[in-house]
Amino acid sequence: MYKRFGIPYGLNEEVCVTRLSDNASIPFDPANTDYQNFKKNVLAGAELQDTDGNTMTASESQEYVATLP
């Protein structure tokens, strides 16, 4: 399960997600294997929460992942 982190102060876009199983921050870096696994897992149906902790639908999650680098 993952949670969107939100937009950090001073930036204009999200830069990471949180893996809830261990509270790890996963940066949006295509070379990062955790990031690759995040995208693969969400596209395969893993739960993704919005910044408020609400579970996003599978369709919303997939649309979100499609916007990422």
Side-chain angles (χ1 to χ4, degrees), residues 1 29 53:
M1 183 178 345
D29 176 2

Side-chain angles (χ1 to χ4, degrees), residues 14-27:
E14 291 182 71
V15 295
C16 67
V17 294
T18 302
R19 183 175 51 221
L20 297 177
S21 63
D22 60 359
N23 261 354
S25 292
I26 302 172

Side-chain angles (χ1 to χ4, degrees), residues 3-20:
K3 182 176 180 182
R4 291 176 60 180
F5 186 77
I7 301 172
Y9 180 76
L11 298 178
N12 59 2
E13 61 186 25
E14 291 182 71
V15 295
C16 67
V17 294
T18 302
R19 183 175 51 221
L20 297 177

Side-chain angles (χ1 to χ4, degrees), residues 40-59:
K40 181 173 37 172
N41 291 339
V42 169
L43 292 174
E47 187 174 295
L48 177 61
Q49 296 178 357
D50 64 19
T51 56
D52 294 323
N54 301 307
T55 302
M56 299 171 67
T57 66
S59 177

